[in-house]
Every structure is written in structure tokens, then in C-alpha cells.
Amino acid sequence: MSAPGGTDGPAWLDSGRPLESRVESLVADLSRPEREAIALGEFEALVGRGLPAPHYVDAGTGLRDVPGATAFPAGIALGATFDAELAEEVGRAVGEEARAAGFTVLLGPTLDLARDPRAGRIPEALGEDPHLTGKLGAAHVRGAQSTHLITQLKHFVAYNGEDRRTGEGLGETRGDSMDVHLSLDLLQDAYLRPFRMAVDAGAWSMMGSYNRLNGRYVCESPDLLELPRREWGWQGFYCPDFLFAVRDDAAALDAGLDLGALGGAAGRTPEMVAAAPARLLDGLVANLVRALIGSGLADDPPSATRPASTERHRELAERVALAATVLLRNEGQALPLGEDVTSLAVIGPSGADALYVVGGSAAVEVDPDRRVTPLAGIRARAGGRTVTSAQGSWGDALLPVVPATAFTLPDGSGPGIEVEFTDPQGNRWTEQLATIDHAADLSDPGSRWPVRWRARLTSHASGTHRLSLGLGGRAAVRIDGDVVMVGSREAELFLDGPRYPLQARVDLTAGVPVELEIDYRPGPAIVIPPMGLGPTLRLGWQPPDQLIDEAVAVAAVADAAVVLVNQASGEGMDRDSLALPGDQDELVRRVAAANPRTIVVLNTPGAVLLPWLEDVAAVLQVWYPGERFGTALAAVLFGDAEPGGRLPLTFPHAREHLPGGDHGPETVPTELDYDADGGIGYRAPGVRGHGAAFWFGHGLGYARTTGRLVAATIEEGAVRLRVAVTNHGDRDTVGVVQVYAEVAGEAAELTAIARRPVPAQQTAEAEILVTADSFARWQQEQGRREPRDGRHRLRVSAHAGDPGEAVDIICEAGTLSLN
Ligand code: BGC
């Protein structure tokens, strides 16, 4: 077939034609065997007709496994910017890097809501709020796809934790993944909303998640896969998540899962596609072709010709880190550090040991020559000030393996550890080993797994010892019968990024043995030998040392002390608690006691508990700030830039105040009841009842701003809010106006954000239009989200817990009026 209008090429390559006619012409040109091959992930027929094939790259906020790619701050940092323009810029930069490396499909952005605060992948996504996640996610999609490629939204849908995400045991015994139960109302009004917004922004693909939803695998559920097509008019293509998302390939094909795997066909067989009705097969081929043409890829295919990263992108990474830094507390204007500070102590993992990125498939390899450590960044900016440093703590790190000399057999008869093994057939026997430093032999098909370790543990020193357990699997560690560490990890090191060991502190007396017992199961470790993934177990320790004392000594003689604390997180793990791991709380307490101008920098994946909060002068939240960590941190500390961020998730007073507080890490259910949550994040009943340590939306900045509602009018069917934003500070700033809707008396929910630059000591006006959609809820009878009739309230607030100023709105059949 040739293109009209004098062009000689085929119709599907004629950019002058409407998209649908290009798609139809290409699908019509493909033979049935070619269509079947495409359904099996073989794209030669498309490539032969001039289209680029899907070529995937993990790209949360930066490319995985692409040497030299820019390590942007983590997704949650982007969430903290509350800035859709910046999200769009990051999307564009990541898109440019992906194309420069020859990729056609970005696996991202991640739009999973932060439901359980322990969830390991919170830092990959944009926080706990559907509106914020949707708004920034949509902007990210617009930016990335403007470079002509496909974004694949993930993970569709209701995938909000790592416990049992892919099942539990090894291999055949893995079993089913987590089953999430939730009503259609909740699905529509919360979890689907960000996907809808990103689809409306043009996203061409979605990744089906690992979990089950109401008893059925998402990737095998016709109702769920059909929903975006039927209700939103979406015409893109689905892929399942890697390896474990499909358990019945024929059912998944039948349900409308377009491709059977992220590469190849996994369990989808030629017989299955041969048996597929023409309508189904043509539909899936058309969905893929439409994305390849509609995204611009067919007309503008990428070529891997340039290095991915550019200086412009690295500067953008730094700007995002600045805009994402949240000033949580600033007593007595401890920050920024002025000329009065002539000496500064920098404490904690602030050198090569600092954390820059999330772990797992969203990890970006940080270029060691480019990354700026916090210490290097501070030293470079400190001018004539004296900068001293002290390790203080190892932070969240795998500690050195406990030496063989520390172990004797349980009966004291000699050195060693008694280990009970089991093989895959369930046969058990006992052996003796010298240390707990075990990685399963992945090349041995009859592999054996240690299931129980018993020994007497004796230290040469008295005092508090830190313990760490590097773990691929599930383990509980007991000392003298008390559980000191318990949890699970799919891998000790998930592809890239930091390791995430379990951590504990125990008091030991020199020469006095304690009884150590470890119960271990290799599942849920993921076994992929070429990727280095498999079961491991390593017990490390740090006997009492002088690290905290040395840090205190350094802090005591400095004008100010900056303490960096951290917690690693990422794919394949949920945190064991919200406490900072190891001895970091004690470090902060002791430094704060020695120096009244103590500034804590939280480099954590989400909310942590802050038992020392009242003792410290200032707290900054930096998330995982990417490769320009040190430069951005120094600019904030010395006041060159404002910490521009707002919290994209709530810091609760206690972990139980948020959903999921009734389980883990000791018990992991097979089902979760989301309807019982009663709201997530700032809408959770526990947070509404007890308040929060820091609310969603909170962020002080250096210039204090306040917002005053000047007028509310109805114009062209929408509420027009005029808000006077006053900058009380002596530096220019950006006011972030947050509008929350209380729909028919329900808990307030963010519905609009306006960012307004305001010069020092001045007032500027922000205008916000709120449409009836802000009062929409799922209406079962109509089968869609519609504005709910009744009396609602809009609140202009500084954060989710701020009553702010309110205006009441009446909504009748979609028409708004002021009360
Ligand atoms: C993750 C996805 C990722 C995929 C490919 C999976 O384990 O859940 O987010 O895109 O791997 O690396």
C-alpha cells in the first residue's frame, strides 16, 4: 500500500495521515502469522515495515543500567516539589536520555500511592495523595513523551507494598501474590485517579501490577484491563510486570493483556495466540502500533548516538534537589547558616557512604566521578569556615560479618555454629559452620537451604552492639529468646542502589555468651542467577566503638552541627519500622545535647519517627537527592537557595496511625482490606484523630508566607478563588497555595495547588479555579465519577492539617453556587 499525496512510502509511515488510518493500514498489511508473532513479543514484522520495536528501560527518575545516565532525585523528591513544571522538565530530560541511549519505552512514571508508610517503593512514586500524584505524574508523562517515546505507567493498580508482592516461597512453592480487597468506590476515587490523569495526558502504555485485586490477578482480570478503555477512552497497550505478574497466560491474553511479558513472551505460547480470535489479536496489535506511531516514534525513531547525560540535566537534578528539600523545623532561625557560623561539624554518612538513590529497578548507577558527597559539597561552599567531620554512625549499612571467634556451638563444646539444612525435597540434616555469611549456590540445582542457625555468641567487649542481617529471604533473629530482628527481603542488594539489611541494637557483656537463634526461610528471595539475585544470609556487627563520642567531641566545639542520618529503601523490601535504623537516634540525641544549633538532615524514603525532635534546632528532609546531593545541600544550608519542598506524605506520631499498622514485619497476611483503611495519609482516621508530627503539605522555607482568601466567586461554572500570598521574609520566595475540598463532610482532600512567586516583604495574588470535578465521587448508578450534589467546603490551607480559611459551596446537578 502506498501513501497518498504523492509520497511513495507506505500509508502507515505517512505523517500527514490521521493516526487511526495509519494504524489500520499497517494492521491490514500484517499477515495472521505476523500478528501472532507480535503477540509473542517478536517485532520483526514491525521493524521490517519501518517502525521501531519496543525497547524498554527502567526509568523512575533516571535510567537504570545505562552508564553515565543522570541520577535525578528520587520520585518522592519530585513529589515534594509540588511543581508540575519541574516534573515535566524532568520527564523531558529522562526522555531525552532514554532516546539518546536508543530506548523507545520508559518504564515509568510510578503512580502508586504511599498507603503503608513502611512500603519499600514509596520513594519511587510521588507520595500519598491522588491529586498530587496525578498532577505531577501527568506532567512527567507530557515531558517524557514530548521527546517522542512511550511512557509505561506503573503499576496498574493497587500495588502499594512489597510484602508478598510476588508470593512467598521459592520456585514452585512461591504461591500467590498479595490479594488486595477494595470496593469500586475506593478504587475509582483514590487508586485509579493518578492513572486516569496520566492517561489523559497521553500515556501510551501501562504496566499490569503483581498483586491480585479482589481475588484475581490484575493482569488476568478482564474487568480491570477493560476499564481504562471503556471509561477513559484509552487506546494504548499493556505489559505485565516482570516474571510474576501473570500466572495463567491464556487467561491474561483473553483478558486483554496486550503483550505477554516485558520482553519475549514468558509463558504465552504459539498455541495460545493461534487460538486467539482475530478481534483480540488485531486489537492488541493495533494498540501497540498505535502507541508506536502516536508517540511520534515511527516518524522520529531514536538512535543511540550520544552519551545520555548532559550538564543541563545535571543542573536540573540539582534544581530538583533544592526544590524538594523540605524544611520541617527551624527554631530560632538556626538555618540558614550565616557569617556567625565560623565552624561547622558535619556528622554521619556524608562521604562516599551517603545514599543518593533508591534501590531496585528504579535505581540509577551514580557516576563516582560526578556525584557530589554532602561533605564535599559543604566544604566547597564553606568559604573560610572550619569544617570538621565525624562518622558518628554507619547509618543504614551492612556491618562487617561477625567473626568465627565470636561463636561456640549451642552446647559450648567447641567453636562453630550448628546449622540445620533442608534441601528442596524437604530432607533435613545438621552441619557446623564457622560464620553466618551464606549465599546460596545458585548453580547447584539440588541447592540446600539453612533453615535454623544456633550458637552461643560472645563478644570481647561490653556495651551496645549494632547487629545487621543482610538478607534475601525471611528471617527472625532471637537473642536469649527475644526477637531482635525480623523481616523479609527479596534480595539483600536488589540490582543497584543501597543494600537493605535488617538492623538491631543489643547489649552484650564481654566474655558472657548469649544464645543466638536464627530461623530462616529462603523465600521470598527472588532467584535470577544472571542478575545476581538469590537467597543470602549474613550476620554483621559493630561492637561498641567511639563513633558517637567522637562526633559529640567534634560537635561540642563547633558553632553548628549538621547530622546526616539515613535509611535505605527500595524494591523487594518493606521497612521493618519507621524508626531510624541502628544507633542514629542516639547519635542525634547526643550531638543535640552537645550543640544547641544541631541541624538534622533526614535522607530517608518517607516518614520516620523523630523522638528527639524537640531537642534539635532544625530538620531538613532531603529524600534521596540524586548525584548533586552535596551541592544542593550546601546551597540550602548556607542560604543560597530556599528549601522549596512541601511534604508529599504525612509524618505520623506513630506508625499505627496510618494504614497497614496492624501487620508486619512479624506477620504478613495474604490479603489486605483497603476498605478498612478509612482513608490514607492525612485522611487516615488515626492521623485525623491524633494529629501528625508533620502534615502532608508542610514545609517552612526560609521566607515565611501566609495565604489569605480575598474573594470567592463563581465564574463560568467554576469557583474562582483569589488568594493573597504575603511573603513576610526578607528574601524572594514562591508561595505554595493548597486548596482542599471537603466533599459532603468527608475528610478534606487536596484538589488544587497554585505556586506564586512573591518578592520579599510583598503580597501577590494567586488565582485558583476549582471546577465541579473537585467534588466528584464514584456514582455507581451512572458508572462514572460525577460531582456529588450537596454542600461542600473548600479550604485554603498551608498544609493538610491547617484549618485555613474556608468557603462553602453548593453543588446541584454539577452546577456550583456559593452558600
Ligand atoms: C518492577 C518494575 C520494573 C520491572 C522491570 C519489576 O520487578 O516491579 O517496576 O519496571 O521489574 O525491571
Side-chain angles (χ1 to χ4, degrees), residues 58 107 121 154-155 165 207 210 241-242 262 361 571:
D58 270 307
L107 303 181
R121 298 183 81 172
K154 55 190 199 179
H155 304 83
R165 67 164 184 154
M207 181 186 287
Y210 285 128
D241 202 345
F242 193 55
L262 274 176
S361 55
E571 183 170 352

Side-chain angles (χ1 to χ4, degrees), residues 128 328 646-651 653 681-684 687-699 740 798-802:
E128 69 190 21
L328 294 175
R646 301 291 185 274
L647 282 182
L649 41 74
T650 301
F651 276 48
H653 286 304
Y682 59 93
R683 303 183 85 221
V687 171
R688 283 188 280 141
H690 299 273
F694 293 110
W695 287 91
F696 172 90
H698 171 74
Y740 293 81
H799 55 71
D802 168 26

Side-chain angles (χ1 to χ4, degrees), residues 543-620:
D545 58 26
Q546 307 306 310
L547 289 185
I548 295 185
D549 293 339
E550 287 161 12
V552 167
V554 167
V557 295
D559 292 336
V562 175
V563 187
L564 287 111
V565 291
N566 67 22
Q567 181 158 27
S569 186
E571 183 170 352
M573 63 154 286
D574 285 336
R575 287 190 280 164
D576 309 310
S577 82
L578 298 191
L580 284 173
D583 51 4
Q584 299 183 94
D585 281 331
E586 188 191 340
L587 171 69
V588 173
R589 267 206 195 91
R590 299 254 327 263
V591 170
N595 190 317
R597 198 162 177 177
T598 291
I599 294 129
V600 178
V601 179
L602 297 171
N603 191 17
T604 62
V608 289
L609 301 176
L610 311 168
W612 33 256
L613 183 62
E614 297 302 319
D615 304 332
V616 304
V619 182
L620 288 167

Side-chain angles (χ1 to χ4, degrees), residues 270-311:
E271 294 72 31
M272 288 175 196
V273 295
R279 186 192 43 80
L280 184 83
L281 203 58
D282 295 357
L284 81 79
V285 171
N287 291 337
L288 177 63
V289 165
R290 189 178 296 111
L292 290 168
I293 299 176
S295 61
L297 274 166
D299 301 329
D300 180 20
S303 53
T305 49
R306 305 184 273 116
S309 183
T310 63
E311 180 53 27

